[in-house]
């Protein structure tokens, strides 16, 4: 029951509010305690105290107190509001919304609660609720433009474009005189309205509207681009041409403008006659500026044969004479066309022979780079032969060495050399060379990162961290690694995790992957402040872009890169729970040992683990002593110490498949065309016996690549497990399976189906591997034969090192004996003599 | 920008943003302060009221009131697709209303919902939606789910 406070306490309570707002928490606490001494059951005071406790970092106490406060006073909007605020602070948005709604029901005209609720609804994408909240806020304060704009955004995002436009127009009509040109908010709102009209598909009206407001717009580029786009899509080619030419005058390096201009002139790149006019067009722009690159480079995309040669020659000469290091990267996109690749190779090889390679005759203005042209040519050829479409590693190495002879101090040349070693498969040399390149310019963070990456590829995790530490803030909690986490350095954490995964240190690998998973969560939450901020700033178009980007945040390749290996590790953990004890590296294969050996090995592993734990505890103890004050993060918030730096708890999970599902679901939702993601998804679902989800993964893969080897093997596995279910599926499910699972024809036996697949793809190592794996799972008696054939795939033309590694992993997954594995390794070593992967096993 | 064309799903300009991000700790603190300061600004009725007053020089309050009424009449209260004015019903909103009306009629078997939740791992709400979209036919709903291509 709500209690009445005496007037003295009431003023204390008001003070308490002020203290909280001004963040004087200690004073606030004292105040609250004073009130509570006289009124121990006063809910509002308890709630405020809870809020202060939460702000001071005592979240658990805060929740307990807030609950007690609610018990004392269910009808107080303050208690419910505080409850909502607490939930919001721990990111439990759904519960927070419920609490806010209660608070709002008790006090419907409280603006603060209404606003907080609206923000949360937007965050949760509850558009219907958001619309309602926004309407209430607009009614409460119609004089504020923001409220109108926000209402329009609510309509827009929920898909009702007409209503959104109407809201914006209604507000405009109430303006007594046109706002000055400098009114940024007005200008933005007009452009926002224009994009809404355009999105509704009425381009003609959008154009008219745009032309009526153009005069007052401050974002010139946006207006010009929109106008040109509308003109083009309306077919007003002459006007569109003029518009795009104007845009090109502003920025002549933007490909999209050129492409649009071609469309305006209705020129087809594939049409021989048009090509001449296209060339003339680009020539015109190339001549307009000595410095423009785009106009010179783009024609190489569509010219062919002799024409291509005559155009490519001056382009390459120009770039190489200037010594532009990115020349190769700039033209390598052309290599997908084999004849262009050939032409470029001939041209540049020609340059290298036509020039005197020792002591140039012509004097260059910069004396010390007198042979810059030759160097650029050599560097180009080194990259050319290193590129996968034109790979010839010995030649690449030869040219790199020649270039290095002339300029041994060049970071770029050494970097390319490291890359060549990597392609040879010699990670050790690659890492050493990259480190040498780094030592040539220690102030360059780029080469520093490259070096760390190559060290990670070579399993030198500690060296890599040391390398990174040269550029991190090392006084943060957790040292360099802590700083990399704070700064959300995705690439490093990903590579570190992948490196640990390759070494079999699954605890640490999962730890890193989880860190990235959490970073995506952080980005999801980062938008929260902007639901109010962007509207206030009036930057609505950018805000809508952000909302839409957040909606498909996890389609980013970075997510797939960690989600797939993480899910794979969890699947492995499910298959072999004993892996969880192998924290510090690959564990001995317990299955192969006899009982006493196994006991011994396990004991040893346990002892080592204990030893490490002890060392860890000591280190932490020492750290605690050193750090007198509380560690703080980059935003000044106190940072909690990581209780599980080795990822032990992650590894010891009771539900590996549940964890795997968490990683896989966003992947399947946002990147459905990622085959590897679908493959992993299948592995997870078939182990969880969710056959329909597994089937969906298969069908999805089949729609992208029907001949995918993993798909083939998984299809057979699914058919096999469906045929041998211990208890039948529910009739409805089996009906769905029957009608949808048509990847294998009905009247064919699985092994026949598999054999025909193998013979169909006789030349491809990857496909054969899929077929052999399927054969192995159909009949384990065929193992010897399969092993032989697998080793045979190493002789195929076109197999690369990755194929070799995949084959090795497959061989081990069958539990092949040591003799076979070493036979495989030998064959692989013969094929890739420089590679370091096959030496130990 | 003459290098290789970017893949289609990469948006341009994404890298430009961090340029004006505060680099130092103080700068970051400032940004946070700015964010919360403006928040308070909005919290504070007086300040917001003043802002509204300043703006209202340019705004006809009477017209605003009328506009609000208009909006209410056209918009109705609550409801997702009901925002469009009476006169200019768009195709999308009327289609939404149509779907909504159709959805209400379909009866959904609770056992089917349970089956979908279990087999497809959907939330209850989503499973019901999916069933309704297929007239409560569980087999058709599941088939559609399994085969749905992006």
């Amino acid at each position: 029951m709500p209690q009445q406070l005496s007037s003295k306490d009431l003023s204390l309570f008001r003070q308490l509010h002020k203290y909280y707002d001004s963040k004087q928490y200690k004073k606030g606490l004292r105040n609250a305690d004073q009130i509570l001494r006289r009124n121990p059951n006063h809910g509002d005071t308890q709630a405020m105290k809870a809020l202060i406790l939460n702000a001071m970092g005592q979240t658990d106490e805060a929740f307990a107190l807030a609950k007690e406060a609610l018990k004392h006073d269910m009808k107080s909007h303050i208690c419910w509001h505080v409850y909502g605020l607490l939930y919001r602070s721990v990111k439990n948005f759904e519960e927070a919304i419920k609490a806010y709604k209660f608070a709002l029901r008790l006090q419907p005209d409280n603006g603060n609660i209404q606003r907080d609720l609206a923000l949360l609804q937007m965050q949760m994408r509850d558009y219907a609720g958001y619309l309602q909240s926004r309407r209430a806020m607009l009614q409460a304060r119609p004089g504020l433009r923001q409220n109108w704009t926000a209402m329009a955004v609510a309509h827009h995002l929920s898909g009702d474009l007409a209503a959104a436009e109407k809201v914006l127009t209604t507000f405009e009509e109430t303006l007594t005189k046109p706002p000055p040109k400098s009114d940024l908010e007005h200008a933005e709102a007009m452009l926002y309205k224009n994009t809404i009209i355009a999105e509704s598909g009425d381009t003609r009206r959008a154009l008219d509207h745009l032309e009526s407001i153009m005069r007052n717009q401050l974002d010139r580029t946006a207006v010009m681009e929109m106008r040109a786009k509308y003109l083009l899509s309306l077919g007003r080619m002459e006007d569109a041409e003029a518009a795009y030419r104007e845009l090109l005058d502003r920025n002549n390096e933007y490909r999209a403008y050129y492409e649009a201009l071609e469309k305006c002139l209705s020129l087809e790149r594939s049409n021989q006659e048009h090509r001449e006019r296209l060339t003339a067009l680009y020539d015109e722009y190339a001549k307009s500026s000595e410095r423009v690159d785009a106009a010179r480079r783009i024609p190489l995309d569509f010219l062919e044969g002799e024409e291509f040669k005559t155009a490519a020659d001056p382009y390459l000469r120009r770039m190489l004479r200037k010594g532009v290091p990115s020349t190769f990267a700039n033209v390598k996109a052309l290599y997908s066309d084999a004849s262009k690749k050939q032409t470029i190779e001939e041209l540049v090889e020609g340059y290298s022979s036509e020039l005197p390679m020792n002591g140039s005759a012509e004097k260059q203005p910069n004396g010390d780079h007198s042979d810059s042209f030759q160097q650029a040519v050599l560097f180009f050829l080194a990259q050319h032969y290193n590129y996968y479409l034109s790979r010839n590693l010995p030649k690449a190495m030869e040219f790199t060495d020649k270039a290095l002879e002339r300029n041994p101090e060049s970071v770029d040349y050494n970097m390319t050399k490291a890359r060549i070693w990597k392609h040879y498969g010699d990670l050790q040399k690659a890492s050493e060379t990259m480190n040498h390149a780094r030592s040539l310019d220690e102030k360059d963070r780029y080469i520093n990162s490259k070096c760390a990456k190559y060290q990670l590829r070579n399993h030198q995790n500690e060296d890599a961290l040391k390398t990174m530490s040269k550029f991190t803030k090392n006084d943060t909690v957790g040292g360099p690694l802590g700083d990399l986490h704070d700064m959300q350095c995705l690439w490093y954490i990903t590579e570190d995790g992948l490196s640990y995964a390759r070494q079999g240190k699954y605890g640490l690998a999962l730890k890193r992957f989880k860190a990235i998973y959490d970073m995506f969560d952080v980005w999801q939450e980062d938008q929260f402040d902007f639901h109010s901020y962007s509207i206030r700033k009036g930057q609505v178009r950018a805000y809508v872009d952000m909302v839409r980007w957040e909606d498909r945040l996890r389609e980013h390749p970075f997510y797939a890169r960690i989600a797939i290996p993480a899910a794979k590790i969890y699947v492995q953990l499910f298959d072999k729970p004993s892996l969880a004890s192998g924290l510090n590296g690959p564990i001995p294969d317990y299955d192969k040992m006899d009982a006493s050996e196994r006991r011994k090995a396990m004991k040893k592993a346990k002892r080592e683990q204990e030893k490490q734990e002890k060392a860890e505890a000591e280190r932490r103890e020492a750290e605690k002593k050193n750090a007198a004050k509380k560690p703080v993060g980059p935003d000044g918030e106190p940072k909690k110490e990581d209780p599980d730096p080795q990822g032990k708890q992650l590894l010891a999970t009771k539900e590996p498949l549940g964890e795997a599902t968490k990683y896989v679901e966003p992947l399947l939702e946002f990147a459905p065309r990622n085959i590897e993601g679908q493959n992993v998804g299948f592995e997870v679902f078939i182990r969880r016996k969710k056959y329909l989800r597994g089937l969906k993964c298969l069908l999805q893969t089949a729609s992208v690549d029907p001949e995918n080897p993993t798909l083939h093997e998984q299809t057979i596995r699914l058919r096999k497990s469906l045929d041998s279910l211990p208890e039948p599926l529910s009739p409805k499910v089996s009906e769905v399976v029957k009608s949808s699972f048509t990847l294998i024809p009905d009247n064919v036996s699985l092994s026949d189906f598999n054999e025909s697949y193998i013979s169909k793809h006789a030349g491809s190592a990857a496909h054969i591997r899929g077929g052999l794996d399927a054969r192995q799972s159909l009949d384990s008696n065929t193992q010897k034969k399969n092993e032989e054939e697998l080793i045979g795939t190493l002789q195929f033309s076109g197999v690369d090192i990755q194929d070799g590694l995949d084959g090795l992993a497959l061989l081990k997954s069958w539990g092949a004996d040591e003799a076979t594995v070493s036979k495989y390794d030998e064959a692989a070593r013969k094929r890739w003599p420089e590679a370091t992967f096959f030496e130990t096993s | 920008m003459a290098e290789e064309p970017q893949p289609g799903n990469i948006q341009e300009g994404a890298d430009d943003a961090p340029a004006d991000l505060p680099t130092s700790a103080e700068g970051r603190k400032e940004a946070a302060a700015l964010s919360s300061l403006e928040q308070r600004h909005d919290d504070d009725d007086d300040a917001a009221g003043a802002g509204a007053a300043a703006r209202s020089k340019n705004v006809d309050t009477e017209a605003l009131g009328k506009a609000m009424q208009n909006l209410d009449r056209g918009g109705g209260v609550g409801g997702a697709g009901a925002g469009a004015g009476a006169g200019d019903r768009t195709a999308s909103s009327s289609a939404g209303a149509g779907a909504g009306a159709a959805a209400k009629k379909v009866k959904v078997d609770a056992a089917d919902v349970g089956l979908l939740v279990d087999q497809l791992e959907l939330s209850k709400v989503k499973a019901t939606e999916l069933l309704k979209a297929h007239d409560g036919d569980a087999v058709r709903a599941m088939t559609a789910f399994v085969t749905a291509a992006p």
Side-chain angles (χ1 to χ4, degrees):
Chain A
M1 275 290 106
Q3 291 187 331
Q4 289 298 327
L5 291 176
S6 65
S7 65
K8 189 179 155 213
D9 285 337
L10 210 57
S11 73
L12 275 176
F13 185 70
R14 263 187 225 115
Q15 241 178 353
L16 176 59
H17 247 277
K18 282 220 180 84
Y19 283 140
Y20 174 71
D21 281 342
S22 56
K23 300 201 170 167
Q24 292 171 294
Y25 298 135
K26 287 228 172 92
K27 282 188 189 166
L29 268 190
R30 218 176 304 138
N31 233 348
D33 286 336
Q34 237 173 332
I35 306 175
L36 286 176
R37 218 173 298 142
R38 277 186 292 268
N39 314 279
N41 294 335
H42 189 241
D44 289 357
T45 311
Q46 282 180 322
M48 283 307 293
K49 188 180 168 187
L51 205 54
I52 291 178
L53 285 176
N54 187 50
M56 293 168 78
Q58 293 161 299
T59 314
D60 295 340
E61 288 96 325
F63 266 95
L65 195 59
K67 246 177 229 164
E68 203 180 318
L70 263 183
K71 226 185 280 163
H72 288 140
D73 198 349
M74 285 286 278
K75 288 226 158 65
S76 152
H77 71 273
I78 296 184
C79 290
W80 282 107
H81 192 181
V82 165
Y83 207 47
L85 284 172
L86 289 182
Y87 268 123
R88 199 188 89 174
S89 72
V90 295
K91 322 272 186 213
N92 189 342
F93 294 135
E94 266 160 52
E95 287 302 316
I97 286 184
K98 274 188 215 155
Y100 283 150
K101 277 191 178 157
F102 265 111
L104 203 58
R105 208 172 298 158
L106 296 164
Q107 202 169 40
D109 46 1
N110 187 320
N112 281 344
I113 304 177
Q114 181 76 68
R115 195 200 58 234
D116 284 347
L117 175 64
L119 297 183
L120 278 180
Q121 284 168 329
M122 187 60 218
Q123 179 80 6
M124 299 304 289
R125 302 292 190 268
D126 170 11
Y127 290 127
Y130 184 62
L131 208 54
Q132 215 172 345
S133 298
R134 273 297 167 187
R135 181 171 288 120
M137 288 165 82
L138 179 59
Q139 261 155 356
R141 229 186 264 161
L144 228 54
R145 179 170 207 154
Q146 305 165 8
N147 283 340
W148 291 84
T149 318
M151 182 78 185
V153 173
H155 277 303
H156 181 199
L157 290 175
S158 65
D160 194 344
L161 296 171
E165 191 192 332
K166 189 167 173 247
V167 170
L168 290 171
T169 315
T170 312
F171 181 77
E172 272 167 44
E173 281 165 357
T174 65
L175 294 173
T176 43
K177 58 176 185 218
K181 196 183 168 183
S182 59
D183 188 342
L184 188 64
E185 190 178 5
H186 182 67
E188 264 301 316
M190 303 296 272
L191 271 190
Y192 176 55
K193 183 171 150 187
N194 192 261
T195 55
I196 290 179
I197 300 175
E199 265 182 47
S200 71
D202 194 346
T203 315
R204 187 172 304 278
R205 202 157 60 83
L207 180 63
D208 290 344
H209 176 253
L210 187 68
E211 283 177 340
S212 73
I213 60 166
M214 243 170 105
R215 220 161 36 85
N216 285 327
Q217 286 307 319
L218 299 159
D219 189 348
R220 298 299 299 163
T221 314
V223 171
M224 288 168 74
E225 283 184 353
M226 284 155 83
R227 181 164 170 273
K229 199 173 81 188
Y230 298 157
L231 286 171
L232 181 58
S233 73
L234 287 173
R236 287 168 57 181
M237 296 307 183
E238 274 173 35
D239 295 332
E241 184 194 337
Y244 276 111
R245 283 189 185 270
E246 245 177 90
L247 279 166
L248 275 171
D249 289 341
R250 290 168 66 90
N251 175 6
N252 59 11
E253 292 284 8
Y254 190 37
R255 260 173 187 262
Y257 295 160
Y258 287 103
E259 278 157 20
L261 187 57
E262 285 177 21
K263 274 190 204 130
C264 297
L265 297 165
S266 359
L267 294 175
E268 289 285 337
R269 289 182 168 193
S270 53
N271 186 323
Q272 180 63 38
E273 281 165 40
H274 287 184
R275 248 182 243 155
E276 268 168 45
R277 287 172 57 203
L278 278 172
T279 318
L281 176 72
Y282 282 105
D283 260 358
E284 173 197 332
Y285 275 102
K287 285 206 184 90
S288 73
S289 157
E290 203 33 58
R291 311 174 72 170
V292 59
D293 180 66
R296 298 175 213 275
R297 167 67 181 77
I298 294 172
L300 301 184
D301 284 348
F302 56 80
L303 292 176
E304 269 161 29
E306 207 44 44
E307 281 175 338
F308 174 76
K309 198 171 173 182
T310 40
D313 188 35
Y315 181 77
L316 288 169
R317 280 180 187 273
R318 176 173 182 270
M319 301 296 268
L320 294 173
R321 187 149 285 137
K322 282 190 189 175
V324 179
S326 60
T327 308
F328 178 75
N330 226 353
V331 299
K332 70 179 178 194
L334 300 169
Y335 279 33
S336 50
D337 181 336
S339 71
K340 289 186 184 181
K341 180 179 76 185
Q342 190 62 29
T343 313
I344 292 177
E345 185 177 315
E346 281 162 16
L347 278 174
V348 185
E349 285 274 17
Y351 304 157
S352 77
S353 58
E354 83 188 34
L355 273 144
M357 292 312 274
N358 283 317
S360 153
E362 52 182 318
K363 282 267 184 246
Q364 299 267 336
N366 317 352
D368 52 340
H369 287 298
S370 56
D371 61 347
S372 72
F373 180 64
Q374 289 97 312
Q375 279 190 28
V377 169
L378 291 172
F379 183 46
F380 185 96
L381 287 171
Q383 290 170 292
H384 170 86
Y385 288 115
N386 191 24
Y387 189 53
Y388 77 106
L389 284 174
S390 48
R391 184 161 292 168
N392 184 344
L393 294 178
K395 262 192 156 174
M397 195 56 102
E398 184 193 324
F399 283 112
T400 318
D401 284 338
K402 271 193 199 161
L404 276 171
E405 232 167 73
R406 285 156 189 273
N407 186 2
E409 300 287 286
S410 163
V411 175
D412 287 335
Y413 302 168
N414 278 297
M415 197 169 82
T416 302
K417 187 170 175 175
R419 200 167 279 145
I420 298 171
W421 277 125
K422 180 182 78 177
H423 291 148
Y424 266 129
D426 192 335
L427 297 181
Q428 178 65 30
K429 275 196 184 139
S431 146
E432 278 164 14
T433 316
M434 204 51 109
N435 196 26
H436 175 65
R438 183 190 63 79
S439 70
L440 296 170
D441 188 355
E442 295 199 327
K443 291 198 174 110
D444 183 352
R445 190 175 190 157
Y446 172 77
I447 187 66
N448 194 74
S449 305
K450 275 278 171 211
C451 171
K453 182 167 162 183
Y454 273 59
Q455 287 172 330
L456 287 177
R457 292 283 166 95
N458 193 31
H459 299 176
Q460 299 165 263
N461 302 67
E462 273 168 31
D463 291 337
L465 195 59
K466 217 177 276 167
T467 308
M468 290 304 282
S469 76
K470 296 184 187 344
F471 284 90
T472 51
K473 238 175 87 185
N474 296 335
D475 52 355
T476 40
V477 194
L481 191 63
D483 191 44
L484 290 167
H485 275 86
D486 284 346
M487 295 295 123
Q488 307 179 330
C489 182
L490 281 190
W491 77 262
Y492 183 84
I493 300 169
T494 307
E495 288 288 347
D496 203 27
L498 292 172
S499 169
Y500 282 128
R502 281 193 299 269
Q503 295 170 59
K505 297 182 179 173
Y506 292 137
L508 281 163
L510 287 178
K511 182 91 191 154
R512 300 287 177 268
F513 296 151
K514 178 82 179 7
I516 296 197
Y517 187 89
D518 291 343
M519 275 176 210
F520 274 88
D521 279 348
V522 169
W523 293 333
Q524 189 99 46
E525 281 149 21
D526 278 345
Q527 59 177 311
F528 194 89
D529 289 342
F530 291 87
H531 297 316
S532 55
Y533 186 80
S534 299
I535 303 279
R536 208 174 313 124
K537 283 277 156 193
Q539 300 291 343
V540 200
R541 285 177 305 146
Y543 170 66
V544 171
D545 280 350
M546 179 202 71
V547 168
R548 288 177 172 166
W549 172 74
E550 291 278 8
D551 281 345
R552 42 189 183 77
L553 176 66
R554 283 185 172 77
E555 78 177 20
H556 196 283
F558 261 127
Y559 181 74
R561 272 197 86 192
I562 60 114
I564 292 170
K568 276 186 184 161
I569 291 178
Y570 278 121
V571 166
Q572 264 183 292
L573 272 179
F574 175 79
D575 291 347
K576 265 196 205 167
S578 63
L579 280 178
S581 61
L583 194 60
N584 309 315
I587 49 151
D589 198 345
Y590 293 133
D591 303 340
K592 274 196 210 147
M593 306 175 183
D594 61 40
S596 72
E597 259 184 287
R598 192 183 310 167
R599 239 190 338 264
K600 242 190 228 161
M602 279 181 154
K603 231 183 192 168
K604 193 176 157 225
K606 204 174 165 199
R607 240 194 339 263
E608 273 194 7
Q609 197 172 321
E610 273 167 7
K611 210 164 114 195
Q612 219 196 1
E613 265 168 47
K614 209 175 152 202
E616 180 66 25
E618 272 167 17
R619 189 190 58 79
R620 234 186 286 172
E621 206 51 43
E623 234 171 52
K624 248 185 219 162
K625 269 179 205 155
N626 285 341
K629 61 180 179 184
K630 252 193 167 175
V632 288
D635 41 5
E637 281 170 28
K639 260 185 71 163
K640 280 183 196 145
E641 202 186 345
D642 186 353
D644 182 26
Q646 299 286 319
K648 216 170 298 175
Q649 285 159 16
L650 291 172
L651 203 55
T653 176
K654 290 271 180 303
E655 284 187 352
L657 291 183
E659 296 294 322
T661 314
K662 257 194 247 164
Y663 279 98
V664 161
E665 288 282 15
L667 197 61
L668 298 181
E669 186 180 348
F670 294 110
R673 295 185 70 75
N674 183 331
I675 290 184
E676 225 189 319
Q678 297 289 350
N679 290 344
V680 159
F682 175 85
E683 297 291 345
V684 173
F685 287 123
I686 196 169
R687 281 169 179 75
R688 296 185 50 207
K689 306 201 170 29
K690 304 286 180 194
Y691 297 112
L692 283 184
R693 292 298 307 266
L695 178 59
K696 185 178 167 71
C697 290
L698 291 187
L699 293 175
Q700 199 80 46
T701 313
S703 76
V704 181
D705 176 11
E707 295 295 321
N708 181 275
T710 316
L711 168 70
H712 169 77
E713 186 270 321
Q714 288 178 339
T715 307
I716 289 186
R717 188 139 43 101
L718 179 63
R719 170 55 64 203
K720 209 179 125 202
S721 32
L722 284 175
D723 288 346
S724 57
L725 281 180
E727 49 189 282
L729 294 168
S730 90
K732 282 176 182 164
V733 175
S734 67
E735 199 181 325
V736 176
V737 169
K738 205 171 171 196
S739 66
S740 307
F741 191 17
T742 51
L743 291 170
I744 302 179
D746 268 338
N747 44 6
V748 179
S749 85
L750 287 181
S751 56
D752 287 351
F753 179 70
N754 188 38
E755 292 310 320
S756 75
Y757 181 86
I758 292 180
S759 54
K760 187 171 160 195
H761 296 282
S764 157
H767 291 91
I768 299 282
R769 279 200 303 275
L772 292 179
D773 196 16
R775 193 198 279 160
Q776 173 75 15
S777 74
L778 284 173
D779 180 6
S780 55
N781 291 329
T782 58
Q783 182 160 347
K784 273 281 153 261
K785 188 174 156 213
N786 296 334
E787 285 169 356
E788 285 302 317
E789 284 185 38
L790 185 61
I791 294 174
T793 61
L794 289 173
Q795 303 310 323
F796 290 180
S797 67
V799 291
D800 57 21
I801 295 186
Q802 190 54 48
D803 278 315
L805 288 171
D806 290 346
L808 185 60
L810 183 62
L811 196 62
K812 285 184 178 166
S813 77
W814 293 342
D817 54 29
E818 261 170 52
T820 317
V821 173
S822 62
K823 198 170 155 200
Y824 183 94
D825 278 337
E826 201 179 315
R829 266 204 302 278
K830 229 176 253 166
R831 174 98 201 199
W832 300 286
E834 290 88 357
T836 50
F837 301 109
F838 305 103
E839 278 161 17
T840 56
S841 62
Chain B
M1 285 299 235
E3 72 278 19
E4 290 174 74
Q6 295 278 316
N9 58 351
I10 300 287
Q11 275 195 349
E12 222 150 322
D15 288 338
D16 298 344
D20 52 18
L21 270 183
T23 45
S24 65
E26 287 114 83
R28 234 174 282 125
K29 240 178 247 166
E30 245 165 55
L34 188 70
S35 181
S36 61
L37 193 74
E38 304 230 10
Q39 184 104 25
R40 188 126 306 140
H41 203 73
D42 207 34
D43 282 354
D44 203 337
D45 281 66
D46 297 338
R55 204 161 275 284
S56 66
K57 272 181 219 152
N58 200 8
V59 171
D60 183 352
T61 12
E62 228 174 279
L64 270 178
K66 232 186 254 169
M68 275 305 301
Q69 273 174 0
N70 251 336
L71 209 61
D72 277 351
R73 218 180 308 131
V77 195
D88 51 6
R89 251 182 189 286
T90 57
S92 72
S93 74
S94 59
K104 265 169 212 148
K105 275 183 221 150
V106 177
K107 266 202 182 153
V108 175
D109 188 354
D112 284 342
V113 176
L115 183 71
L116 260 67
V117 167
D118 178 54
Q119 291 292 324
L120 307 182
E121 311 219 284
L122 298 170
S123 69
K124 225 171 174 180
V125 181
K126 283 230 172 109
T128 316
E129 249 172 48
L130 184 65
L131 274 172
K132 279 184 178 168
H134 294 91
D135 304 326
D137 185 337
V139 174
R140 263 178 55 207
M142 285 192 282
T143 312
F145 176 86
V146 168
T147 48

